[in-house]
Amino acid sequence: IQSTTRLIARARSGTRWSPRVDAAYAVTVPDLRITELMYHPPDPEPGSPFDDEEFEFVELRNTGSVPIPLAGFVLSGGIDYTLPATAGDLWPGENIAVARNLDALVSRHGTGLRVVGPYSGHLANSGDTVVLTGPLGEPILNFTYSDRWQPATDGPGYSLTRRNPAGPVSDWNLASAWDRSVVAGGTPGRNDVPESDLSRVTLRWKQDSGS
């Protein structure tokens, strides 16, 4: 096997064939990673037609050096979504957000984002399992986050963000590998903003510090 492949086989005994078995054999793991989770969004603004759960999102990033065709990648666990062919290719260093409700995400973060969805289910506020698999069923990520990792992500308005998006996949289960977003509301579809750049960011709502 020279590349990641799904093999399908049956065994024959005389004129009888066994049931089909199939499995994916991953030569390399795709360089697609979950880099941000908005699992407990802040309450909607007064008059909003959406509830807080509809502002959830999961961000994916290409941490490799070649474009990744997104069609067929699957998010599962607490949520369920298969990226469609219309998602296109994700270029190295590029992000895409997967929204629970596309209209809700746009209403809070504006247009111009690279976003797909909606996904079914929702991310539990107390913690949940998130799984990312490739188009051939190849395992990429399987981790469980907790609201205790970063308390500011459990309702006050911040998202969970990866400290090292290109780190080993085993790190996704570690609280020490995650931080809260610098910007209240998170940054779906784009990199988190360094502390030094906050003065150049226009916020749609105040941070919990009141600054």
Side-chain angles (χ1 to χ4, degrees):
I1 299 174
Q2 302 298 318
S3 61
T4 299
T5 306
R6 177 172 291 278
L7 297 182
I8 302 171
R10 298 179 188 270
R12 181 178 178 181
S13 177
T15 59
R16 300 183 63 187
W17 287 92
S18 72
R20 188 185 82 170
V21 294
D22 63 278
Y25 294 87
V27 176
T28 58
V29 177
D31 291 316
L32 190 66
R33 300 291 184 268
I34 294 170
T35 52
E36 185 174 2
L37 292 173
M38 176 57 82
Y39 68 91
H40 188 175
D43 291 336
E45 295 76 9
S48 172
F50 309 109
D51 62 40
D52 58 346
E53 289 182 353
E54 292 181 278
F55 295 98
E56 290 181 1
F57 65 84
V58 177
E59 182 186 79
L60 303 173
R61 183 182 303 175
N62 180 349
T63 62
S65 58
V66 297
I68 298 175
L70 292 173
F73 281 87
V74 178
L75 285 166
S76 59
I79 62 176
D80 185 51
Y81 184 71
T82 300
L83 277 83
T86 53
D89 293 347
L90 197 65
W91 288 80
E94 192 177 13
N95 304 321
I96 188 170
V98 184
R100 183 163 187 247
N101 184 312
L102 293 165
D103 292 335
L105 195 72
V106 169
S107 74
R108 177 164 284 180
H109 295 278
T111 59
L113 302 175
R114 186 164 183 190
V115 58
V116 292
Y119 61 72
S120 59
H122 78 94
L123 299 167
N125 293 345
S126 59
D128 215 333
T129 297
V130 186
V131 182
L132 175 64
T133 53
L136 296 175
E138 59 269 42
I140 302 174
L141 293 172
N142 187 334
F143 66 97
T144 302
Y145 67 86
S146 170
D147 62 340
R148 295 189 297 274
W149 287 1
Q150 293 288 338
T153 65
D154 191 15
Y158 294 89
S159 62
L160 270 178
T161 60
R162 282 284 303 175
R163 290 178 175 169
N164 180 11
V169 294
S170 57
D171 283 0
W172 264 253
N173 271 306
L174 301 178
S176 60
W178 295 84
D179 209 341
R180 71 165 177 87
S181 59
V182 174
V183 177
T187 53
R190 61 187 190 275
N191 293 344
D192 203 15
V193 181
E195 294 278 2
S196 59
D197 290 344
L198 276 178
S199 61
R200 287 179 281 172
V201 178
T202 301
L203 302 183
R204 288 176 173 266
W205 56 90
K206 293 182 180 180
Q207 298 186 25
D208 59 2
S209 64
S211 59

